[in-house]
Amino acid sequence: MRAARLIKMVLLLQSRPSMTAAELARELEVSERTVTRDAQALSEAGVPVYADRGRAGGYRLIGGYRTRLTGLGRSEAEALFLSGVPGALREMGLEDAASAARLKVSAALMPSLRDASRTATQRFHLDAPNWFKEPKTPELLPAVADAVWDDRRIVARYRRGESEVERELEPYGLVLKAGVWYLCARVAGHGTYRVYRIDRYTAVDTGDERFERDGEFDLPGFWEERAEQFARSLLRAEVMVRVSPGGVRRLPYTVDPQSAREALESAGAPDEQGWVTLTLPVESEEVAHTQLSALGPEVEVLAPRELRERFAGDAIRLAALYRG
């Protein structure tokens, strides 16, 4: 979009004494003719872009011109980076801070760009929860979010099975996964990192004691590793199946995608009909029955015997339903 390109052009010129039209064109991925038009547009909008002629010429900003975002508080600046997730901001209690930050950024932009926020929100929107599930905001989420922002220890009580457990935690980060909020935290005094579902918390005490964050902790990397471990921990059983070419294409959308990919990679060559025999990790035989039923006649269960007999029974009942 042109507005974003103009902003990037100003920032590039702020960071260097001078840039040629060819350099700007390469950075902005446009033609030199477009660079010339953009420079003229910036000049007309009041940005002092000056063009030096000649072999060693180029574009530069004169008069020490700098763009400034004045009056932006820390909470507003932090919320601004989350402003593409309006639902998450609202649930964490940061909606007002993000709104104030957007207004200040808008006021700092040149008049021709002040509708950028509105045009962006009318073109891109993130809806995090899954289909057919009503998202429910955990009541204690704002308190946990405040502690995450301020690096403050919390004492949390949460449900574990039929009982409740209390832990002193150092809250490192929040993750929103398919409409469910999780806290990634270090257990105080143990140094181990764990993941907790916020909707299982029954009480949270946020005191004033702060903790020192581990500068090496990487929230996206930690979550990716734990999520993969969790997904694999669920796959405690195996089934052997024959899958048709059409079934192979649909398999990753029916069972766990990683499980399907690994099974297909380790499979042998297709038989004369093009069917492939796979050993597929699954959560349980019950789950496998539900998932593989979606493939209908594109899959044949070979083992275990009990699951094969269950599918055979399904086939008999289906044939009876549709006979005649």
Side-chain angles (χ1 to χ4, degrees):
M1 299 192 309
R2 193 186 188 201
R5 191 175 71 242
L6 291 173
I7 293 173
K8 185 176 181 180
M9 183 174 181
V10 173
L11 294 175
L12 284 169
L13 292 175
Q14 278 186 189
S15 64
R16 307 178 194 182
S18 177
M19 293 184 70
T20 66
E23 290 172 336
L24 284 167
R26 185 167 55 253
E27 290 281 354
L28 300 172
E29 299 180 349
V30 296
S31 66
E32 293 186 31
R33 185 185 296 272
T34 298
V35 168
T36 301
R37 288 198 297 265
D38 286 352
Q40 183 176 355
L42 288 171
S43 180
E44 292 173 353
V47 179
V49 178
Y50 181 79
D52 288 318
R53 306 292 181 184
R55 192 170 187 178
Y59 291 93
R60 60 187 175 89
L61 295 174
I62 60 175
Y65 178 85
R66 305 286 296 179
T67 57
R68 289 182 174 87
L69 300 179
T70 57
L72 204 62
R74 169 168 287 277
S75 64
E76 295 168 345
E78 291 169 336
L80 183 61
F81 288 100
L82 295 172
S83 60
V85 196
L89 281 170
R90 183 170 56 252
E91 293 176 7
M92 288 190 292
L94 294 171
E95 188 173 25
D96 291 341
S99 177
R102 285 193 294 266
L103 285 173
K104 291 179 180 180
V105 171
S106 178
L109 294 173
M110 65 183 81
S112 62
L113 301 180
R114 286 179 185 166
D115 66 341
S117 174
R118 183 184 63 81
T119 56
T121 56
Q122 293 304 314
R123 287 165 173 79
F124 302 99
H125 177 68
L126 175 63
D127 186 9
N130 274 338
W131 287 104
F132 313 118
K133 287 188 178 180
E134 186 68 27
K136 185 177 180 181
T137 304
E139 183 179 345
L140 297 172
L141 176 62
V144 176
D146 284 344
V148 170
W149 283 120
D150 294 338
D151 295 338
R152 283 184 287 123
R153 288 187 177 184
I154 64 173
V155 176
R157 291 187 63 84
Y158 64 95
R159 295 186 302 275
R160 189 169 70 180
E162 299 298 323
S163 61
E164 286 193 0
V165 179
E166 185 174 283
R167 289 283 185 273
E168 184 178 1
L169 302 173
E170 297 173 350
Y172 267 66
L174 288 166
V175 175
L176 178 60
K177 170 73 171 179
V180 178
W181 284 96
Y182 297 88
L183 173 67
C184 301
R186 183 168 60 183
V187 180
H190 290 266
T192 57
Y193 294 93
R194 297 180 183 175
V195 177
Y196 302 87
R197 280 184 61 146
I198 303 296
D199 58 7
R200 292 180 181 167
Y201 280 4
T202 58
V204 173
D205 180 16
T206 57
D208 296 326
E209 184 182 358
R210 295 179 180 272
F211 66 92
E212 185 176 346
R213 293 179 67 93
D214 180 358
E216 300 297 318
F217 180 79
D218 173 31
L219 179 60
F222 171 79
W223 175 259
E224 182 179 1
E225 179 182 343
R226 288 303 174 91
E228 184 176 344
Q229 289 175 0
F230 174 74
R232 288 183 178 276
S233 71
L234 295 177
L235 305 177
R236 302 188 181 102
E238 287 185 346
V239 298
M240 183 177 292
V241 295
R242 287 180 66 243
V243 189
S244 72
V248 166
R249 290 191 295 271
R250 291 165 52 189
L251 191 64
Y253 305 99
T254 307
V255 301
D256 176 73
Q258 179 68 21
S259 172
R261 182 162 54 251
E262 292 180 0
L264 289 168
E265 288 174 352
S266 60
D271 61 20
E272 295 179 355
Q273 288 81 36
W275 288 55
V276 179
T277 299
L278 307 173
T279 299
L280 191 67
V282 294
E283 186 174 342
S284 65
E285 290 185 21
E286 183 67 31
V287 172
H289 178 260
T290 300
Q291 293 176 333
L292 296 175
S293 292
L295 293 178
E298 305 304 319
V299 63
E300 177 190 2
V301 174
L302 303 177
R305 186 185 64 184
E306 294 80 4
L307 184 60
R308 178 178 174 86
E309 290 175 351
R310 188 170 179 180
F311 272 94
D314 292 345
I316 293 171
R317 289 196 299 275
L318 279 171
L321 282 174
Y322 288 98
R323 186 178 295 121

